[in-house]
Each structure stands twice: as structure tokens, then as C-alpha cells.
Amino acid sequence: MNSRYTKEICLELLRKKGEALRLQGRYPKRSDFTEEEVAYIKAFLGPWPRALEAAGLKPKREDDSSEKNREKRIRAKRKKNENR
């Protein structure tokens, strides 16, 4: 890996681009960066939406996937028991 990229530098890249795009009312897209920058941002910060969240550009998602899965299993069991 190129030593000039760190997690902090990736966050700063996203924040600077976010500031510039705020007037346009949109979040930074992968296409706003070079392929190399995108690779490092995703390597340090994960999938693009999570990277935007880590940089403070996008609100963190509220859903709790483990809770959703639990509720889905309960519904499936109830439906299965209804059919007996």
C-alpha cells in the first residue's frame, strides 16, 4: 500500500469533497475521486455508504439488522405454526 494514505487522510478527502458538494446538495460519489483514492477509502473505511457515515457526511443508518433478522424469524415461526 502507498504509505501516503491513512485512515485520517481518507476521511479528510471525503470531508473536503463533501464541503465542496454541499452547495450542490449531494454527497460525494466514487466518481468524484480517482480509482486509487476510492480503493484506499474503501480499504480503510469499508463500503461507500459506511465511509460517508465515518466522515460525518451522511447520518448513520438507524436500522439494526440483527433485530430485523430476529423479528423476521419470529414472524416465520408464527406463520409456520398457523399452518399446522
Side-chain angles (χ1 to χ4, degrees):
M1 282 188 127
N2 188 337
S3 63
R4 69 185 183 114
Y5 286 97
T6 63
K7 182 177 180 178
E8 291 75 26
I9 290 173
C10 291
L11 287 169
E12 189 60 30
L13 283 170
L14 284 169
R15 288 179 185 136
K16 283 183 181 181
K17 186 61 75 171
E19 284 289 321
L21 295 172
R22 187 166 292 151
L23 295 174
Q24 295 178 21
R26 70 174 180 91
Y27 298 119
K29 298 177 186 176
R30 289 184 290 272
S31 61
D32 294 325
F33 299 91
T34 65
E35 287 183 31
E36 181 184 32
E37 289 170 335
V38 170
Y40 283 107
I41 288 170
K42 290 177 74 176
F44 284 113
L45 303 173
W48 199 255
R50 302 301 82 75
L52 295 177
E53 291 170 3
L57 299 174
K58 186 175 179 182
K60 292 198 183 279
R61 54 185 183 163
E62 305 256 337
D63 67 334
D64 181 5
S65 60
S66 61
E67 182 63 25
K68 283 170 111 177
N69 288 339
R70 183 178 158 280
E71 291 172 7
K72 186 177 177 181
R73 284 193 304 273
I74 290 170
R75 283 193 306 271
K77 286 180 182 179
R78 287 181 182 159
K79 185 175 182 180
K80 183 178 178 181
N81 289 336
E82 287 174 3
N83 292 334
R84 287 185 177 188

